[in-house]
Amino acid sequence: MNVAIIGAGALGLYYGALLQKSGVETHFLLRRDYAAIKAGGLTVHSINGDFHLPQLHAWQTPAEMGTADLVIVGLKTFANDRYQELIAPLLKPDTLILTLQNGLGNEEALAALFGAERIIGGVAFLCSNRGEPGTVHHLGAGRIVLGEFVPGDNGVLERLAGMFRAAGVDCCSTGDLKKARWEKLVWNIPFNGLAALLQQPVDRLLAVQATRALIRTIMLEVITAGNAQELRSAIPEAFAEGMIEFTETMGAYRPSMQIDREEGRELEISAIFRMPLQFAASKGIAMPRVEMLATLLEQTWITKPPA
Amino acid sequence: MNVAIIGAGALGLYYGALLQKSGVETHFLLRRDYAAIKAGGLTVHSINGDFHLPQLHAWQTPAEMGTADLVIVGLKTFANDRYQELIAPLLKPDTLILTLQNGLGNEEALAALFGAERIIGGVAFLCSNRGEPGTVHHLGAGRIVLGEFVPGDNGVLERLAGMFRAAGVDCCSTGDLKKARWEKLVWNIPFNGLAALLQQPVDRLLAVQATRALIRTIMLEVITAGNAQELRSAIPEAFAEGMIEFTETMGAYRPSMQIDREEGRELEISAIFRMPLQFAASKGIAMPRVEMLATLLEQTWITKPPA
């Protein structure tokens, strides 16, 4: 199986490097890191041990890459309008597309363009940041939960999970991708949102009792909305407390949206906030605090003074 | 009638200067501006015309000031724990106390210390900032609505309103101080809160449709909570739209809480947010967005990195 990584940021570079290291032929579409990786390869600084790949299949345009058996999409979701341009050149009739992107609506958009049967969703629990060009930092976790957009039983999930596991990635499959996506939103919405808005890492947010209570209330809004989406089994309310306790182990972790804001990048507000709000509204569920948080984040972004 | 101004910030200096200019014997308790005013007097830069008072009754401690017929309280509400120390030395048996402070709970606290009958509340609609020591800037408005904490009919309100009007201040009285306070909160809660949180002036907040809708929704939460407080007549929902339209005339106005945050001062979260939330909760009314805004503001304040 050969793999093409589209959107080789902190997530794409990390998983791609592990696949390449395990012997999978992996091609990277690069922009910022192209020159550095062509010249000196890729260095992964990981809590599981650093390693260096002296040579990668590095490309600057999808046309050069040839077709792939599996396309892994790691784009920031605000670049989803480039799906056609970036992915179409890589496809054979049986190419699988795995999106490891944040939020909701990515599988739907990919399915509309390329057909629903080949779309796999992956919910990644990964703490990683880009470093200098040619380096990526893996700070914690890394688990991937895979699910088919159109549930079937053709063993494709187990094949992919096996590939990731052979590369050292904790990976499993689920029959309820939708539930896995909503479970991740239970974390992403309050922690990405509040950390980006207030520009404070997760430990400072959890240190104040009223903010901790707000985080929990936001989580319950997300759980209620998720449970209205015809999941196979409900997300229990206790999931919120579990996520908060898990977050306490992260220390001064800065969620990706906080880093995006600090570095002046666009925020993934549509995929992480507005799409879930739409899915909730379609079932008659309001998420007033999530809506307010989305509006506040948009206000910081839309009216950002020129740099 | 002689007047003592306690808390001579932008509001106290402005109204005190107008009273002094109109011939009322006015004493100022000063801290930051004491030396500058002692040396060079007070300059008011006003949209109604600049003026200079070469000499004021300026004091550094309340003990020096002697007693007053009227004490005007302009303290920031987070300094309310200094009421006893700052006001008690100024009181005769018939001294009136007028608080022009923001938010709720000020009359109650003054009444508990000094007796309810002498407490007058004033809701001030004033755009003013302090300039260099010895100067104050009047940017717009200035209206005061006076009301007795314990409604009576002894003409005291008309006497005070007459004094302010003679000094050029648009001033009227109300039989429903509580309603006037809640009406001001309809503006203060969203605009002070969001401007301070996002560090954006009011015109930028109103420029984004979703933020404008959020402001309106927050205003409706405040109106609902206010209308549960046994007002003599209800605040209509249309009051929200009226306040928004009025705010559009203000241009790039920075509410006081935004300036407080920019200058690293404590924020008036208790008087403007937590007290109203308590009054609302006491009537079984929740204000989820107001609560969330208060929590976000506290989070910025409590965890402010050392300067």
Side-chain angles (χ1 to χ4, degrees):
Chain A
M1 178 178 284
N2 75 338
V3 173
I5 311 269
I6 302 300
L11 176 141
L13 285 174
Y14 173 68
Y15 288 121
L18 288 176
L19 291 174
Q20 170 73 39
K21 179 161 166 273
S22 76
V24 177
E25 181 187 327
T26 307
H27 296 258
F28 297 80
L29 181 66
L30 299 174
R31 199 170 41 182
R32 192 199 75 158
D33 289 47
Y34 179 78
I37 284 177
K38 258 317 215 202
L42 174 64
T43 302
V44 178
H45 297 285
S46 170
I47 53 162
N48 299 332
D50 300 353
F51 64 94
H52 179 74
L53 300 174
Q55 214 173 351
L56 296 186
H57 301 286
W59 309 98
Q60 290 186 287
T61 67
E64 307 168 284
M65 296 175 83
T67 58
D69 299 314
L70 171 68
V71 175
I72 297 179
V73 184
L75 291 171
K76 288 285 183 184
T77 48
F78 48 76
N80 284 3
D81 56 356
R82 302 188 65 197
Y83 275 160
Q84 177 71 33
E85 159 201 355
L86 297 177
I87 297 171
L90 311 172
L91 299 184
K92 300 179 290 182
D94 62 346
T95 299
L96 296 170
I97 302 175
L98 166 62
T99 166
L100 295 177
Q101 299 173 280
N102 274 320
L104 296 188
N106 306 307
E107 289 89 5
E108 286 81 354
L110 289 166
L113 290 171
F114 308 118
E117 289 70 22
R118 62 165 100 216
I119 309 302
I120 315 286
V123 183
F125 298 89
L126 173 68
C127 301
S128 65
N129 295 327
R130 292 209 287 189
E132 292 301 296
T135 65
V136 62
H137 297 274
H138 169 225
L139 309 172
R143 186 157 191 263
I144 296 176
V145 178
L146 296 174
E148 287 177 294
F149 180 60
V150 180
D153 55 358
N154 57 8
V156 64
L157 291 184
E158 269 316 303
R159 198 149 45 92
L160 292 183
M163 176 189 76
F164 277 112
R165 284 194 292 261
V169 177
D170 177 12
C171 186
C172 65
S173 66
T174 174
D176 196 351
L177 175 63
K178 224 182 328 183
K179 182 176 181 183
R181 286 258 174 246
W182 278 93
E183 283 179 342
K184 188 168 183 200
L185 288 171
V186 172
W187 194 89
N188 265 341
I189 286 178
F191 282 107
N192 270 288
L194 294 173
L197 179 68
L198 301 169
Q199 297 178 280
Q200 299 189 4
V202 298
D203 59 343
R204 277 174 65 190
L205 298 175
L206 288 175
V208 178
Q209 218 35 250
T211 306
R212 195 187 176 95
L214 173 63
I215 288 167
R216 192 170 175 280
T217 309
I218 291 173
M219 287 179 162
L220 293 178
E221 284 188 1
V222 180
I223 289 172
T224 301
N227 286 339
Q229 307 298 320
E230 292 144 28
L231 309 182
R232 294 203 183 170
S233 62
I235 306 170
E237 287 205 356
F239 188 77
E241 206 43 58
M243 280 284 107
I244 289 174
E245 282 168 25
F246 169 65
T247 309
E248 283 189 316
T249 68
M250 293 184 182
Y253 181 66
R254 297 182 304 154
S256 61
M257 190 176 277
Q258 180 185 0
I259 295 171
D260 286 342
R261 184 171 177 204
E262 283 169 7
E263 299 187 354
R265 280 196 296 272
E266 191 168 341
L267 307 183
E268 295 191 279
I269 300 172
S270 173
I272 297 179
F273 288 88
R274 290 295 175 193
M275 292 299 303
L277 280 161
Q278 272 184 37
F279 278 97
S282 75
K283 304 293 183 182
I285 306 283
M287 298 194 284
R289 293 169 188 82
V290 175
E291 164 87 44
M292 177 162 163
L293 188 49
T295 299
L296 295 174
L297 288 165
E298 284 164 353
Q299 180 72 28
T300 66
W301 168 252
I302 295 171
T303 66
K304 193 167 75 93
Chain B
M1 179 179 282
N2 75 338
V3 173
I5 310 269
I6 302 301
L11 176 141
L13 285 174
Y14 173 69
Y15 288 122
L18 289 175
L19 291 174
Q20 171 73 37
K21 179 162 164 269
S22 75
V24 176
E25 182 186 326
T26 307
H27 296 257
F28 297 81
L29 181 65
L30 300 174
R31 199 172 41 183
R32 192 200 73 156
D33 290 47
Y34 179 78
I37 285 176
K38 255 321 212 200
L42 174 63
T43 301
V44 178
H45 297 285
S46 169
I47 53 161
N48 299 331
D50 299 354
F51 64 94
H52 179 74
L53 300 174
Q55 214 173 350
L56 295 185
H57 302 287
W59 308 99
Q60 290 185 289
T61 66
E64 305 167 286
M65 297 176 81
T67 58
D69 299 315
L70 171 67
V71 175
I72 297 179
V73 184
L75 290 170
K76 288 285 183 184
T77 48
F78 47 77
N80 284 3
D81 57 355
R82 303 187 64 198
Y83 276 159
Q84 177 71 33
E85 159 201 356
L86 297 177
I87 296 171
L90 311 171
L91 299 183
K92 299 178 293 182
D94 61 347
T95 299
L96 297 171
I97 302 176
L98 166 61
T99 167
L100 296 177
Q101 299 173 280
N102 275 322
L104 296 187
N106 305 307
E107 289 89 4
E108 287 81 353
L110 289 166
L113 289 172
F114 307 120
E117 289 70 22
R118 62 165 98 216
I119 309 301
I120 316 286
V123 183
F125 298 90
L126 174 69
C127 301
S128 65
N129 295 326
R130 292 209 288 190
E132 293 301 295
T135 66
V136 62
H137 297 273
H138 170 224
L139 308 171
R143 185 156 190 264
I144 296 175
V145 178
L146 297 175
E148 287 178 294
F149 180 59
V150 181
D153 56 357
N154 56 8
V156 63
L157 291 184
E158 270 317 303
R159 196 148 49 89
L160 291 184
M163 176 190 76
F164 277 111
R165 283 194 292 261
V169 177
D170 177 12
C171 186
C172 64
S173 66
T174 175
D176 196 351
L177 175 63
K178 224 181 329 183
K179 182 177 180 183
R181 286 257 175 249
W182 278 93
E183 283 179 343
K184 188 168 182 201
L185 288 171
V186 172
W187 193 89
N188 264 342
I189 286 177
F191 282 108
N192 270 288
L194 294 173
L197 179 68
L198 300 169
Q199 296 177 281
Q200 300 189 3
V202 298
D203 59 343
R204 277 175 65 190
L205 298 175
L206 288 175
V208 178
Q209 219 35 251
T211 306
R212 196 186 175 96
L214 173 63
I215 288 168
R216 192 170 175 282
T217 309
I218 291 173
M219 286 179 163
L220 294 178
E221 283 187 1
V222 180
I223 289 172
T224 301
N227 286 339
Q229 307 297 320
E230 292 145 27
L231 310 182
R232 293 201 184 171
S233 62
I235 306 170
E237 286 205 356
F239 188 78
E241 206 43 57
M243 280 284 107
I244 289 173
E245 283 168 24
F246 169 65
T247 310
E248 284 190 316
T249 68
M250 292 184 183
Y253 181 66
R254 296 182 303 152
S256 61
M257 190 176 278
Q258 181 184 0
I259 296 172
D260 286 342
R261 185 171 176 204
E262 283 169 8
E263 299 187 353
R265 280 196 296 272
E266 191 168 341
L267 307 183
E268 294 190 280
I269 300 172
S270 173
I272 297 179
F273 288 86
R274 290 295 175 193
M275 291 300 303
L277 281 161
Q278 272 184 38
F279 278 97
S282 75
K283 305 292 183 183
I285 306 283
M287 299 195 283
R289 293 169 188 83
V290 176
E291 164 87 42
M292 177 162 162
L293 188 48
T295 299
L296 295 174
L297 288 165
E298 284 164 353
Q299 181 72 29
T300 67
W301 168 252
I302 295 171
T303 64
K304 193 168 74 92

